[in-house]
Amino acid sequence: MKKLINIALVAAIAAGAGTLTGCSDFLEAENKTNINSDSYFATEAGLEGLRTYAYSRLQPVLSSPDLYERGTDLYCGVHGENLGELSMYTFTPQSGTISEYYTNLYSLVNNANYLVQMAGENGRVAAEGIFLRNFGFYLLTQQFGAVPYVTWFVQDAERNYPRTPLSEIYPAMIAELEGIMNDADLPADPESDDGYGYVSQRAVKALLAKVCLAAGWDLGTTLTDAAAGTYTVNDTEGYFTKAAQYADAAIAGQGLTMTFEEKWAPENENSNNETIFSLQYERNGFPGNLSEGGHGMQNQIGGYFGQPKSTGEKYCGRSGMSTKAIYLWGPGDARFDATFMTTMYNYDGSTWGTTGYYAYYNGSNLNSMPIAFRFFPYYVTESEAEAELAANASRYVRGDNVNAVYAYIMSDPVVRYTFSANGTYTKSTASYSEVCSGLNFPATVKKFDDPQTPQENTNTTNGYRDIVVFHLSDMYLTAAEAYLMAGNESQALARLNTVRDRSNAGHLNAFSDYQHEYTVPATFGAITPLDVILDEKAREEYGESGRWIDLRRTRQLVRYNVAFNNDVPSVATMSNAQGEIKWYRPIPAEEMGNNTALTDADQNPGY
């Protein structure tokens, strides 16, 4: 059941009780509805509305992936643009993007706190509020470190909220989640008839696995060399072992039985048994403006192909695959074609959706449809690519279609085939960065494609695919990392191989069997078992808004950026003038100025 309500009404009523927009800014808003909020939300209808509104506070937190992906090893700027302050580590406490994110997270927390307060005897709603509260604090701790830990609904002008140490936040979060993980008021498994959009016991265990894994790293390891990514492990509380146990509990003995393509296919969105928890969207029946109610996840990663109204292709922003990323998927790995749109069809100039980009989902006779752009992986030889082009020569004739035709082997240097109107081509080579700076390159990520997207010039809020928060293969990789850190390498390898085997990536008999194809600078050092797991997460979860947190958590953020992020040539780029590394985002300036419990000493290092 998709959650479709008049959120504006609920928000207006909630404003009468006061809403938390950030620990620095508690508002006593005027209630213009003439309805007492506590009285209204005590009713069955009011509580259900508040419940839906609390879930909706996930939307601004999860629908903008920049803070989760930029400033890592997997992405680069395209079409002559860079990825901005998040990639170059020039952000400051005045950054609007970071301040807005911080505010949205505390909005999620405070609305969850109110949900718990108003749940009364409704045990399921209370448990959902506890989950949402702790999910908010999980993201806050991963991005900002120690933060004010507020577990009550704030409805006054109090401005004294000190930062709570991680050594206190993590145990409190774990205790709360353990208290509801087997709560009989929650469904044991994701409810397929509800579209996996409500909290289940398995979702709680998935979040517990994430929190315990983060606690193990933040409380149980000590960084020894940021540039080398080295650390010592002194996990005296057993957080890594707990993380492995909870990840296995979330897996619940379920194997990876779907193909990777099936897992991400739009038609399987509401019948996908690998989804543990998702943020739900629904185009049909949406009560507001359809052009504003969705998200732009499908528009984030890929080359720029021009404006959809003229080209018929999907709009993408300025983020594409890094040079490292193009070498991650080896021969036979099914995830390459399932992650990227490797064949983009030409547009006839009038029939949006069945020609052009979305023809992949809506068109007929795809085996004969004209092709605009073809992307081969790096391991395809020129002779193999040219044999395919020759076998399909008639499909590379532009004819009356809109787009000029190109094919590429995505390697460095790139091999580019430029087709004339009659279908003949010329071949050239250029550096990967040079080709990325132009149009129509590289391939786009299709995981979040919405086949019903209307033809507008940017389409950045017109995607209505659900955003998957926790899923099964992510739990296998969480377990792999946790077992590795707990000293159980055999179990770590077993969980890793479950993921690799599903996509025909090659079974590893030992971590030392792993072979990578991307170029590694000498300063990066030897590939470790942790690197193997991080590479597997990159392949399995590319574009899913997790990379920055993964690298920050595992102490690899500096090492990976200096090696693979062209915007970070040295450790100094990620440091302030005093040499303090920016391991966390800055506490926003507004928070520092308005929260009377904070002093300059509370700002994160590096700012």
Side-chain angles (χ1 to χ4, degrees):
M1 179 182 67
K2 301 285 187 175
K3 309 179 189 74
L4 300 174
I5 63 162
N6 189 339
I7 288 178
L9 172 62
V10 177
I13 296 169
T19 56
L20 174 60
T21 61
C23 274
S24 63
D25 189 13
F26 301 115
L27 303 180
E28 292 183 291
E30 179 185 357
N31 181 1
K32 298 181 179 180
T33 64
N34 295 317
I35 302 173
N36 179 277
S37 54
D38 284 355
S39 298
Y40 175 71
F41 291 130
T43 68
E44 182 177 350
L47 184 62
E48 182 58 26
L50 180 61
R51 178 191 187 209
T52 301
Y53 185 69
Y55 273 100
S56 78
R57 295 306 82 204
L58 289 167
Q59 293 179 359
V61 169
L62 296 176
S63 61
S64 298
D66 293 358
L67 274 157
Y68 304 107
E69 301 288 15
R70 294 184 180 183
T72 69
D73 57 326
L74 300 181
Y75 307 93
C76 69
V78 299
H79 198 222
E81 299 187 46
N82 61 54
L83 293 184
E85 63 177 9
L86 295 175
S87 183
M88 297 185 289
Y89 288 82
T90 56
F91 45 79
T92 69
Q94 288 75 34
S95 168
T97 299
I98 292 171
S99 179
E100 182 179 15
Y101 179 72
Y102 186 91
T103 296
N104 285 332
L105 280 170
Y106 270 107
S107 176
L108 168 63
V109 167
N110 204 45
N111 280 281
N113 288 343
Y114 192 40
L115 189 63
V116 175
Q117 176 180 309
M118 297 305 300
E121 296 181 357
N122 191 321
R124 178 174 183 175
V125 170
E128 289 173 330
I130 291 170
F131 174 92
L132 292 172
R133 169 166 70 209
N134 284 283
F135 183 67
F137 276 117
Y138 167 71
L139 294 178
L140 280 162
T141 56
Q142 298 318 287
Q143 296 274 4
F144 298 95
V147 292
Y149 186 59
V150 183
T151 58
W152 60 92
F153 178 57
V154 175
Q155 55 182 333
D156 55 33
E158 174 63 53
R159 294 178 180 273
N160 189 275
Y161 293 89
R163 295 183 81 177
T164 307
L166 290 177
S167 59
E168 296 178 21
I169 296 179
Y170 281 133
M173 292 173 65
I174 292 168
E176 278 210 319
L177 292 169
E178 287 176 336
I180 63 169
M181 67 179 183
N182 294 315
D183 193 325
D185 290 315
L186 291 175
D189 294 301
E191 296 179 292
S192 58
D193 60 335
D194 279 353
Y196 312 99
Y198 291 100
V199 176
S200 66
Q201 292 175 20
R202 282 181 78 181
V204 176
K205 291 164 187 172
L207 180 55
L208 262 169
K210 294 283 191 179
V211 172
C212 288
L213 186 61
W217 280 102
D218 288 339
L219 303 180
T221 67
T222 302
L223 180 71
T224 57
D225 188 325
T230 54
Y231 51 85
T232 58
V233 180
N234 48 6
D235 179 21
T236 58
E237 300 296 326
Y239 287 119
F240 290 126
T241 298
K242 274 191 169 186
Q245 292 170 345
Y246 287 132
D248 280 347
I251 291 168
Q254 183 180 342
L256 303 178
T257 57
M258 307 178 77
T259 68
F260 200 73
E261 180 81 26
E262 290 170 340
K263 175 185 177 119
W264 288 102
E267 63 269 21
N268 292 331
E269 182 172 75
N270 292 314
S271 58
N272 189 326
N273 66 9
E274 289 195 24
T275 298
I276 296 175
F277 180 64
S278 63
L279 170 60
Q280 298 211 310
Y281 289 80
E282 178 63 34
R283 182 183 297 279
N284 298 327
F286 180 75
N289 186 339
L290 277 173
S291 67
E292 299 175 354
H295 59 79
M297 291 291 288
Q298 67 174 332
N299 311 114
Q300 295 296 323
I301 303 168
Y304 178 68
F305 295 88
Q307 297 289 356
K309 280 199 171 182
S310 58
T311 68
E313 305 299 338
K314 183 174 78 171
Y315 175 82
C316 278
R318 56 180 182 175
S319 179
M321 283 187 284
S322 69
T323 310
K324 173 188 176 179
I326 60 174
Y327 288 100
L328 282 172
W329 294 265
D333 193 327
R335 291 171 294 191
F336 182 80
D337 284 326
T339 300
F340 301 99
M341 187 66 77
T342 56
T343 300
M344 294 172 62
Y345 299 100
N346 221 323
Y347 179 51
D348 67 7
S350 61
T351 50
W352 169 260
T354 55
T355 67
Y357 183 89
Y358 292 99
Y360 179 80
Y361 307 101
N362 305 321
S364 57
N365 301 317
L366 295 185
N367 290 332
S368 60
M369 184 171 288
I371 294 170
F373 311 107
R374 178 73 171 97
F375 301 94
F376 296 99
Y378 73 88
Y379 52 80
V380 171
T381 65
E382 292 179 40
S383 60
E384 290 170 335
E386 290 159 17
E388 179 182 310
L389 298 179
N392 295 275
S394 63
R395 302 177 66 194
Y396 290 91
V397 176
R398 178 175 179 178
D400 295 329
N401 293 303
V402 168
N403 297 294
V405 182
Y406 297 89
Y408 306 88
I409 299 176
M410 293 200 301
S411 56
D412 193 13
V414 176
V415 180
R416 176 169 49 195
Y417 299 88
T418 304
F419 289 81
S420 62
N422 65 5
T424 60
Y425 62 77
T426 58
K427 181 169 63 173
S428 60
T429 61
S431 70
Y432 185 80
S433 60
E434 178 183 346
V435 180
C436 272
S437 68
L439 289 169
N440 311 322
F441 188 86
T444 70
V445 170
K446 67 181 185 181
K447 282 182 173 180
F448 303 102
D449 280 354
D450 181 353
Q452 298 182 60
T453 300
Q455 189 177 18
E456 299 177 5
N457 272 343
T458 56
N459 296 324
T460 54
T461 54
N462 281 321
Y464 281 80
R465 288 288 300 278
D466 294 347
I467 298 177
V468 178
V469 180
F470 298 131
H471 58 80
L472 193 59
S473 59
D474 176 47
M475 285 297 103
Y476 272 99
L477 293 174
T478 298
E481 182 184 329
Y483 275 119
L484 178 70
M485 297 304 295
N488 194 334
E489 192 167 300
S490 63
Q491 288 294 335
L493 189 63
R495 302 303 185 278
L496 183 81
N497 274 324
T498 298
V499 175
R500 291 179 62 85
D501 292 349
R502 187 257 292 272
S503 292
N504 194 36
H507 193 87
L508 300 177
N509 293 318
F511 280 103
S512 58
D513 291 342
Y514 178 68
Q515 301 292 320
H516 62 86
E517 296 297 330
Y518 55 85
T519 301
V520 175
T523 54
F524 188 75
I527 298 296
T528 69
L530 178 62
D531 294 323
V532 178
I533 292 173
L534 287 172
D535 275 3
E536 205 59 48
K537 286 180 71 67
R539 281 184 282 269
E540 185 76 10
E541 301 173 11
Y542 192 85
E544 294 180 38
S545 299
R547 192 60 169 182
W548 193 91
I549 287 177
D550 286 341
L551 296 185
R552 201 284 313 163
R553 179 188 65 250
T554 58
R555 313 285 195 176
Q556 304 307 306
L557 189 63
V558 175
R559 177 178 175 234
Y560 274 57
N561 268 288
V562 173
F564 304 115
N565 179 357
N566 291 336
D567 290 331
V568 180
S570 68
V571 179
T573 307
M574 299 178 65
S575 309
N576 65 5
Q578 291 71 45
E580 296 175 328
I581 294 172
K582 299 176 181 178
W583 282 104
Y584 287 110
R585 312 301 188 183
I587 303 299
E590 183 181 10
E591 173 75 353
M592 294 296 296
N594 292 335
N595 187 340
T596 60
L598 301 183
T599 68
D600 289 345
D602 289 300
Q603 183 57 272
N604 282 326
Y607 307 99

